[in-house]
Structures are given as C-alpha cells and as structure tokens.
C-alpha cells in the first residue's frame, strides 16, 4: 500500500507485539473501533511490531484488519520508537489528516471512549469529558445502565428486563469476575443477602457487571438469581471507569433516586448481611458504631474461630487449638509465594520472630496464604518457623475483609486480649526489627 494513499487520512500508529499480554487484550478493542470507523474511509491503523521473529509477527498480524510496517524493515520500526516516546506497549499514537500528532494517549482514549472518541481531537475528548461530568451530576439508573444500542438488562435465562423497571429501587451494581476467587466467594454471600431481602419484600435489585473474558466464565458467575449486563457489553468497562473501580468484589449502591449512595458496600454486606440494608449514610454510621463495639469486645477466638474451624497448623502438621494461643501477642501474616515483596520480607520476619521468641514465648505468627495451589503453599511455608491457616481455608477471605487487606505482604498485630494493636506491624518490623515488640503505641 503506497504511503501516498494514506495522505489526508487520520492514522493510528499501533506499537504492539504478540508476546505482550496487555497488547493481546487491547487489540480486540482496537479491532472493534477500527471496524466501526472503517465505513468513514478516512481512518487507518498501522501496526509497528516489537515481535522478535517473523513467524510471531505474521501470526499476530494475520488477526489484524489494518496495515503494518513490514517486519523486514526493522530500521523503520526502531526509528519510530524515539519520536513517539514509546517506553512500553501497547502504545497508540493518533495523527490528524496532516500527519500532526493529536495524542500519544490513544490506548487510554480507545479504552475509555471507543469509536465515540473519533476524530480524537483534544476538543472531542474534552466534549466527552464534559458530557461525563454532566452525566454524573444528572445521574439516574437509566444514564448508568442504558446505552445507545440497549435499554435492557438480562436474566440468567437470557430474558430482557427494561432498565425502566429498576427506577425507584435500590440497586447494587455488582462488579465481578468468576475467575477471581474473592469474587466467587463473595457471590455466594451476596446471593444469600439478595434472596433474604427479596423474601422480605424490599425494593432491592442487583445488576452484575461481569469483567470475565469469555462466555463460559460469564455463565458461571451468573448462577445467582439477579440481573446483569449482557456478556462483553461495551458498557462493562465504561462503568468500571465511571465508578473508578479499584478492587473486586465491588458493589456500588444506587439509591431509589438514581444517585450513588455508597461506592462499595461489599465489606458491609459480607460482615453485616441484610443488616447493612438500605445502605444509606445513616445505616453506615450505625454500622460503624457496631464495628467499634465489636472491636472493643474482640478476642482471638472471635477473630480466628469460625464454625468448626477452631485451629491453626503447627510446623509438624498438628492442629493447634486457637484457645491455646489466647494470652499471646499474635501477628497475622498475609503473604504468598508468588509475591516478590513477600519473599523479600519473609527472611527479615523469620529473623525478628526468632529474636522475640528467645525473649518471650508468649508470641506467635500465623501465616495466612494467598498462594494459588497447595504445592506453592507447602514450598513457601517450609521456610517459616511459625503457625499457619491451612491452605484454602475458608477463614482467609473473611480475615482479609475484616482487616481490609488490599495488598500483601501485610502484618496485623493482635494483643494478649485479642484486640487489634496495629495494622502497620510490617513497617514497624522493617524500621525497628525485634525492638518493635510488642507493637504497641508506647
């Protein structure tokens, strides 16, 4: 294709490679937008490959409907990196019809606005941002869930329910991914709460926003009796950005007036069940008082005992009763073998543990694993001298929510009475070593 034939067209220079996971996930988005815009006849994309061999290039490019710089022209491909500040991929540079750079943030624009971002000028992007701001001010259940091509949500059997039927109800917008275990675990809890509220005749509905990549995963996560946006609906990612999604599971609560009541009620639902309904500011203030009262009466058993699970594992595999640990200072160590910062921190904690145990035997650490399989757990735990929750123990997810564990490694210190001393024990250990014991403010 002659370069001259591209004159007067808007161009996207798409820096990508088959070995790059984020690229492979983004390419279908770009294909969708390209297909929509191809009817205009004035937009083209040129693939600039970072593949390492021609076979990989050919395999990846064969799935693309646009043009490419030949793989053999390595000089041209490398030459383009510098003027467009390509420090990572996927990277999409958008040029106007005169060849001038419109933006180097093409990936973000396509993800956020899709074909609606066309012609990708600063004025158009600002217009879309202004519309979003206006939509937030004038938010209703319709502005949230209705798109240009769809005014309904679906049931698990595929039936269509008009979004208008949700007006006047309290609605939980449930962002979920069935492949992510915390989401799968929480789905069961939410389903229980949902069913009880419906039995009580409450005007409450849940609309699931699935972030799963395939239809099968979507169906698995749709086992509960609520509504959902259709699988892979364009609005799914758009809503994730609109509500500034930062963690899973998330349940955004929309009030009967269509305004956001709470950005994420998942923790409250998990901890308090139907007591958290109707998720108003007044109810959350009430729950906060309940949590304060609960913290004041917290014991080691109330933290670690759940149903018939009243033990932790010793190094020899023996079951150590939680009751036998009462009266000790306990560190709950949230960690995983796959996490490099965890592996870097564990040897320091082992050293600190041994020094504290020499001075005071009324001290223990309990490893709470986020490992993905039993062998990884066993391998990692073999280098630890302390106790552990069994791998895949049901208490792990509730403990993570109770202590709001957003990242690992995390170290929670519980005093001899079982009350929480600090959630910042890791930074204390890093700063002061064994001298931080017993981790109190004093």
């Amino acid at each position: 294709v002659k370069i001259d034939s591209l004159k007067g067209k808007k161009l996207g220079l798409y820096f990508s490679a088959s070995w790059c996971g984020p690229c492979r996930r983004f390419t279908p988005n770009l294909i969708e937008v390209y297909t929509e815009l191809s009817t205009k006849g004035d937009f083209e994309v040129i693939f600039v490959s970072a593949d390492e061999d021609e076979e990989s290039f050919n395999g990846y490019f064969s799935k693309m409907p646009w043009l490419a710089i030949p793989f053999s022209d390595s000089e041209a491909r490398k030459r383009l990196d510098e003027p467009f500040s390509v420090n990572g991929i996927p990277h999409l540079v958008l040029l106007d019809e005169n060849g001038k750079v419109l933006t180097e943030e093409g990936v973000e624009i396509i993800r956020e606005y899709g074909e609606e971002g066309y012609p990708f000028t600063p004025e158009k992007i600002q217009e879309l941002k202004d519309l979003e701001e206006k939509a937030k001010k004038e938010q209703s259940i319709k502005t949230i869930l209705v798109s240009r091509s769809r005014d309904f949500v679906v049931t698990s059997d595929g039936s269509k329910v008009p979004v208008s039927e949700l007006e006047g109800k309290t609605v939980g917008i449930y962002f979920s991914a069935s492949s992510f275990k915390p989401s799968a675990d929480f789905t069961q809890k939410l389903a229980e709460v949902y069913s009880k509220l419906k039995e009580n005749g409450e005007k409450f509905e849940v609309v699931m926003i699935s972030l799963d990549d395939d239809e099968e995963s979507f169906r698995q996560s749709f086992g509960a009796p609520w509504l959902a946006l259709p699988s892979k609906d364009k609005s799914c990612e758009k809503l994730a950005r609109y509500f500034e999604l930062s963690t899973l599971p998330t349940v955004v609560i929309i009030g009967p007036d269509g305004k956001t009541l709470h950005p994420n009620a998942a923790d409250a639902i998990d901890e308090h069940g139907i007591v958290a309904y109707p998720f108003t500011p007044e109810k959350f203030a009430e729950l906060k008082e309940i949590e304060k009262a609960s913290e004041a009466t917290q014991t080691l058993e109330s933290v670690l005992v759940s149903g018939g699970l009243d033990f932790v594992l010793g190094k020899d595999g023996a079951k150590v009763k939680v009751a036998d640990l009462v009266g000790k200072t306990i560190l709950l160590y949230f960690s995983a073998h796959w996490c490099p910062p965890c592996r870097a921190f564990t040897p320091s904690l082992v050293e600190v543990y041994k020094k504290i145990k020499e001075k005071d035997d009324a001290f223990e650490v309990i490893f709470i694993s986020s490992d993905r399989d039993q062998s990884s757990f066993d391998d990692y735990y073999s280098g630890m001298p302390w106790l552990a929750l069994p791998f895949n123990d049901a208490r792990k997810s509730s403990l993570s929510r109770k202590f709001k564990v957003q990242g690992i490694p995390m170290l929670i210190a519980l005093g001899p009475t079982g009350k929480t001393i600090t959630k910042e024990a890791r930074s204390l250990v890093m700063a002061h070593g064994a001298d931080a014991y017993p981790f109190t403010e004093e």
Side-chain angles (χ1 to χ4, degrees):
V1 175
K2 291 283 186 184
I3 304 295
D4 278 353
S5 69
L6 301 175
K7 285 182 179 177
K9 291 189 176 185
K10 297 168 189 64
L11 297 180
L13 299 180
Y14 181 38
F15 298 83
S16 184
S18 63
W19 50 259
C20 163
C23 297
R24 291 197 307 273
R25 287 192 290 276
F26 176 71
T27 297
N29 292 0
L30 186 56
I31 288 174
E32 200 173 313
V33 170
Y34 178 84
T35 304
E36 288 283 336
L37 297 179
S38 59
T39 55
K40 296 182 184 294
D42 67 346
F43 178 64
E44 191 52 79
V45 172
I46 300 168
F47 171 38
V48 185
S49 174
D51 282 303
E52 291 160 0
D53 60 82
E54 191 152 11
E55 186 180 350
S56 300
F57 166 83
N58 288 334
Y60 193 33
F61 183 45
S62 69
K63 299 178 178 71
M64 299 174 176
W66 45 67
L67 309 175
I69 291 181
F71 182 79
S72 58
D73 196 349
S74 56
E75 185 185 330
R77 290 188 289 117
K78 286 176 185 173
R79 193 175 65 241
L80 284 168
D81 285 354
E82 192 176 334
F84 298 117
S85 309
V86 182
N87 296 315
I89 52 176
H91 188 76
L92 180 64
V93 179
L94 294 168
L95 309 177
D96 69 11
E97 54 275 12
N98 299 310
K100 305 293 184 189
V101 175
L102 286 168
T103 178
E104 293 187 12
E105 306 296 325
V107 171
E108 290 73 19
I109 287 172
I110 294 295
R111 279 182 179 146
E112 190 145 354
Y113 303 111
E115 66 272 13
E116 288 178 19
Y118 180 85
F120 312 116
T121 59
E123 294 76 18
K124 180 62 178 181
I125 302 308
Q126 188 57 52
E127 179 191 327
L128 292 172
K129 286 180 179 176
D130 291 344
L131 284 171
E132 280 184 351
E133 201 57 41
K134 185 183 177 189
K136 283 187 179 180
K137 287 177 184 172
E138 300 173 1
Q139 180 180 294
S140 69
I141 199 67
K142 282 188 172 179
T143 65
I144 294 168
L145 295 177
V146 172
S147 69
R148 286 190 299 179
S149 59
R150 177 190 45 73
D151 61 358
F152 59 87
V153 288
V154 296
T155 61
S156 57
D157 64 4
S159 300
K160 296 177 180 179
V161 176
V163 171
S164 58
E165 289 191 14
L166 301 176
E167 291 180 314
K169 293 183 177 182
T170 299
V171 178
I173 307 293
Y174 176 36
F175 291 92
S176 176
S178 64
S179 55
F180 184 52
K181 193 171 186 304
S183 282
D185 292 343
F186 178 74
T187 293
Q188 296 174 8
K189 178 71 177 184
L190 182 59
E192 289 170 21
V193 170
Y194 176 83
S195 297
K196 285 177 185 173
L197 289 173
K198 297 296 268 189
E199 283 169 18
N200 293 348
E202 301 291 355
K203 289 186 175 181
F204 177 63
E205 196 50 76
V206 170
V207 177
M208 185 183 74
I209 312 295
S210 174
L211 302 179
D212 287 306
D213 291 330
D214 58 273
E215 189 73 34
E216 180 58 34
S217 298
F218 172 75
R219 282 197 296 270
Q220 285 176 8
S221 61
F222 208 174
W226 45 58
L227 306 170
L229 287 193
S231 175
K232 295 184 180 178
D233 191 282
K234 288 180 184 178
S235 295
C236 291
E237 285 194 15
K238 199 170 181 181
L239 286 172
R241 287 188 296 272
Y242 180 82
F243 288 113
E244 298 175 4
L245 184 69
S246 61
T247 186
L248 291 177
T250 285
V251 182
V252 180
I253 302 296
I254 308 299
D257 62 353
K259 308 301 180 193
T260 302
L261 274 178
H262 199 277
N264 188 8
D267 286 346
I269 290 168
D270 185 63
E271 193 165 342
H272 302 285
I274 63 169
V275 177
Y277 186 79
F279 315 110
T280 57
E282 295 77 18
K283 176 55 76 171
F284 275 92
E286 184 185 316
L287 294 178
K288 199 164 188 179
E289 292 305 312
I290 292 172
E291 285 174 10
K292 278 184 187 174
S294 175
E295 284 173 13
T297 58
Q298 179 178 295
T299 65
L300 189 64
E301 281 136 318
S302 73
V303 171
L304 287 176
V305 175
S306 175
L309 300 170
D310 61 353
F311 64 90
V312 293
L313 294 180
K315 284 305 296 178
D316 55 1
K319 293 180 178 179
V320 177
K321 291 282 187 182
V322 172
D324 295 339
L325 301 174
V326 172
K328 295 188 175 188
T329 296
I330 304 288
L331 291 180
L332 302 178
Y333 182 36
F334 295 85
S335 186
H337 182 268
W338 53 259
C339 162
C342 298
R343 293 199 307 274
F345 176 66
T346 296
S348 302
L349 186 58
V350 169
E351 191 178 325
V352 166
Y353 174 81
K354 289 176 178 175
K355 285 181 182 177
I356 295 172
K357 288 290 275 187
E358 284 173 10
K359 294 189 295 182
D360 188 354
D361 194 50
F363 168 69
E364 199 49 78
V365 173
I366 300 172
F367 169 43
I368 300 169
S369 171
S370 292
D371 285 303
R372 291 164 181 154
D373 54 69
Q374 184 74 51
S375 62
S376 298
F377 169 86
D378 293 340
D379 183 45
Y380 194 33
Y381 184 46
S382 67
M384 300 176 182
W386 43 67
L387 308 174
L389 281 194
F391 173 70
N392 223 12
D393 191 284
R395 291 170 287 180
K396 188 260 173 183
S397 56
S398 61
L399 286 168
S400 294
R401 284 190 288 273
K402 178 179 179 61
F403 293 109
K404 297 179 172 54
V405 178
Q406 301 292 338
I408 55 175
M410 187 167 181
L411 206 56
I412 310 290
L414 307 178
T417 64
K419 290 187 179 67
T420 304
I421 300 171
T422 179
K423 296 178 184 177
E424 307 298 330
R426 179 194 173 204
S427 59
L428 295 177
V429 166
M430 291 174 74
H432 307 292
D435 292 336
Y437 182 77
F439 313 107
T440 59
E441 283 190 32
E442 295 78 15

